[in-house]
Amino acid sequence: SMGYDREYDASIAILYMENISPEGKSYFADGLTEELINRISRIQNLKVRPRTDVAVFKNKTVSISEIAKELSVNYIVEGSVQIAGDKLRVSAKLFDIAQDKITWSDSYKRELTDFFDVQDDIASKIIAKLDEKLTISTLDLTATKRKSTDNLEAYNLVMKAYEHINNPLYSMKIISEKITPFAEKALKLDSTFADAYAILSFAKIFHWMETSTKDNPELRKQEINDINKGNLLAKTALQYDQDNLLAHTIIIFVPFMNSGTDEFEANLFILRSMLIDAKIFLQKYPDALISQYIYAMVSMMKIGLLDGEKEAFQEPLDQMLVIFQKLKRNNFVLSHPTEGIVLGQLW
């Protein structure tokens, strides 16, 4: 994409786990997939295909070799999750494409309360297998062991909040009101749950997204107060999980909310500073649609401020089109709240 293509020793695609549970429990399959993507992404010399790329194959019957070819990867993980009552069945396998064989597979029959242990086990087995070929640094190995939570109830609450965040029928205000109690309850159950802090932060800040407060000093005071609270919550999330994409996104977004548009347009320094932040953000998450979008948007604002030539706008506009096409290819089914932010802004 934007010139941050690092050198990797190998690449892997973690396909969405097949959900064999009732629809209301499908988030366990998605949650396991996303947790594996998050953890395995912490290995520096391994290229992990982003959610948006693997989401294309969700619920489709495509052969492993076709997927490997289309995503050009060396390894593929696939599996399934079934929940019946309080029983859990999970199976997972790791394909080595070059050797054309399954190099690890396992299946688990456990209680639903063991969900996180199964998650840990699958992650560590896959990583151990990759380590035989890749030589993963000790630092990276330690990083892959970091988990989001051990509390099943808190996890369920956060998953419910995510469903609301991506609901296209809700206004930002309604989303904020709906997700706040879920996040607060989750934090009572696990005060170190980064996702819950990030969701609460999202609620505080995006509550004001569609409300103009510039002619109402009382409301503006309330807005600034919420933005500052939201900023603190996002930083708290990063304290517990330094890779939390939603929390990082919010911190990048705060300057947009904090200064009036007039200040922006008049101040090249604010924009330069934001462009540096956007670049660092993009370097940390080169594959996330949100980091690509923010970088393109701030670039456009800077070109506009400097009265750039029409041609100068071409590159960031092309980038936005690429982002839009990726969302369209997945039928606008969003796999992360940050994709909802991108889609809302793009429209």
mmCIF file of all heavy atoms in Angstrom, residues 70 73 76 103 128 149 158 255 264 297 309 314:
data_model
loop_
_atom_site.group_PDB
_atom_site.id
_atom_site.type_symbol
_atom_site.label_atom_id
_atom_site.label_comp_id
_atom_site.label_asym_id
_atom_site.label_seq_id
_atom_site.Cartn_x
_atom_site.Cartn_y
_atom_site.Cartn_z
ATOM 1 N N GLU A 70 -4.601 -17.160 -3.880
ATOM 2 C CA GLU A 70 -5.170 -15.810 -3.942
ATOM 3 C C GLU A 70 -4.538 -14.869 -2.913
ATOM 4 O O GLU A 70 -4.323 -13.694 -3.188
ATOM 5 C CB GLU A 70 -6.687 -15.853 -3.738
ATOM 6 C CG GLU A 70 -7.307 -14.529 -4.089
ATOM 7 C CD GLU A 70 -8.814 -14.601 -4.272
ATOM 8 O OE1 GLU A 70 -9.324 -15.641 -4.727
ATOM 9 O OE2 GLU A 70 -9.472 -13.601 -3.955
ATOM 10 N N VAL A 73 0.120 -16.989 0.511
ATOM 11 C CA VAL A 73 0.630 -17.281 1.860
ATOM 12 C C VAL A 73 1.296 -18.651 1.912
ATOM 13 O O VAL A 73 1.020 -19.513 1.080
ATOM 14 C CB VAL A 73 -0.502 -17.221 2.919
ATOM 15 C CG1 VAL A 73 -0.931 -15.790 3.180
ATOM 16 C CG2 VAL A 73 -1.691 -18.090 2.535
ATOM 17 N N ILE A 76 -1.819 -21.729 6.284
ATOM 18 C CA ILE A 76 -3.234 -21.381 6.480
ATOM 19 C C ILE A 76 -3.746 -22.099 7.723
ATOM 20 O O ILE A 76 -3.433 -23.277 7.938
ATOM 21 C CB ILE A 76 -4.083 -21.777 5.248
ATOM 22 C CG1 ILE A 76 -3.844 -20.767 4.111
ATOM 23 C CG2 ILE A 76 -5.575 -21.819 5.587
ATOM 24 C CD1 ILE A 76 -4.643 -21.001 2.862
ATOM 25 N N THR A 103 0.182 -29.736 9.018
ATOM 26 C CA THR A 103 1.355 -29.941 9.866
ATOM 27 C C THR A 103 0.991 -29.997 11.355
ATOM 28 O O THR A 103 1.767 -30.447 12.169
ATOM 29 C CB THR A 103 2.467 -28.894 9.542
ATOM 30 O OG1 THR A 103 3.196 -28.624 10.710
ATOM 31 C CG2 THR A 103 1.900 -27.601 9.066
ATOM 32 N N ALA A 128 4.174 -22.623 18.195
ATOM 33 C CA ALA A 128 5.287 -23.571 18.375
ATOM 34 C C ALA A 128 5.657 -24.215 17.034
ATOM 35 O O ALA A 128 6.836 -24.381 16.701
ATOM 36 C CB ALA A 128 4.912 -24.636 19.397
ATOM 37 N N THR A 149 -8.923 -11.285 27.938
ATOM 38 C CA THR A 149 -9.586 -11.453 29.240
ATOM 39 C C THR A 149 -9.728 -12.935 29.546
ATOM 40 O O THR A 149 -9.617 -13.772 28.645
ATOM 41 C CB THR A 149 -10.995 -10.807 29.252
ATOM 42 O OG1 THR A 149 -11.537 -10.902 30.575
ATOM 43 C CG2 THR A 149 -11.949 -11.472 28.283
ATOM 44 N N VAL A 158 -18.722 -7.527 25.985
ATOM 45 C CA VAL A 158 -17.977 -6.767 24.974
ATOM 46 C C VAL A 158 -18.425 -7.172 23.569
ATOM 47 O O VAL A 158 -18.580 -6.336 22.677
ATOM 48 C CB VAL A 158 -16.453 -6.944 25.200
ATOM 49 C CG1 VAL A 158 -15.669 -6.639 23.944
ATOM 50 C CG2 VAL A 158 -15.998 -6.030 26.328
ATOM 51 N N PRO A 255 -7.645 14.856 18.303
ATOM 52 C CA PRO A 255 -7.365 16.214 17.803
ATOM 53 C C PRO A 255 -8.425 16.733 16.825
ATOM 54 O O PRO A 255 -8.734 17.920 16.811
ATOM 55 C CB PRO A 255 -6.015 16.072 17.089
ATOM 56 C CG PRO A 255 -5.389 14.869 17.671
ATOM 57 C CD PRO A 255 -6.503 13.952 18.084
ATOM 58 N N PHE A 264 -8.143 24.320 12.603
ATOM 59 C CA PHE A 264 -7.408 23.405 11.760
ATOM 60 C C PHE A 264 -6.887 24.060 10.532
ATOM 61 O O PHE A 264 -5.761 23.991 10.186
ATOM 62 C CB PHE A 264 -8.408 22.425 11.163
ATOM 63 C CG PHE A 264 -8.356 21.153 11.818
ATOM 64 C CD1 PHE A 264 -9.374 20.245 11.626
ATOM 65 C CD2 PHE A 264 -7.305 20.831 12.636
ATOM 66 C CE1 PHE A 264 -9.350 19.061 12.254
ATOM 67 C CE2 PHE A 264 -7.288 19.615 13.254
ATOM 68 C CZ PHE A 264 -8.315 18.745 13.068
ATOM 69 N N MET A 297 -6.750 10.885 4.591
ATOM 70 C CA MET A 297 -7.568 12.061 4.899
ATOM 71 C C MET A 297 -6.699 13.251 5.345
ATOM 72 O O MET A 297 -6.883 14.370 4.872
ATOM 73 C CB MET A 297 -8.572 11.713 5.990
ATOM 74 C CG MET A 297 -9.482 12.878 6.332
ATOM 75 S SD MET A 297 -10.773 12.432 7.505
ATOM 76 C CE MET A 297 -9.826 12.055 8.948
ATOM 77 N N GLU A 309 -2.164 21.634 -6.108
ATOM 78 C CA GLU A 309 -2.739 21.409 -7.437
ATOM 79 C C GLU A 309 -3.789 20.305 -7.346
ATOM 80 O O GLU A 309 -3.691 19.423 -6.493
ATOM 81 C CB GLU A 309 -1.629 20.944 -8.402
ATOM 82 C CG GLU A 309 -0.501 21.941 -8.590
ATOM 83 C CD GLU A 309 -0.986 23.221 -9.266
ATOM 84 O OE1 GLU A 309 -1.666 23.103 -10.289
ATOM 85 O OE2 GLU A 309 -0.695 24.311 -8.739
ATOM 86 N N GLN A 314 -4.927 13.323 -6.210
ATOM 87 C CA GLN A 314 -5.196 12.024 -6.846
ATOM 88 C C GLN A 314 -4.796 10.832 -5.967
ATOM 89 O O GLN A 314 -5.561 9.890 -5.790
ATOM 90 C CB GLN A 314 -4.467 11.959 -8.207
ATOM 91 C CG GLN A 314 -4.981 10.845 -9.114
ATOM 92 C CD GLN A 314 -6.462 10.977 -9.431
ATOM 93 O OE1 GLN A 314 -6.930 12.016 -9.872
ATOM 94 N NE2 GLN A 314 -7.237 9.925 -9.162
#
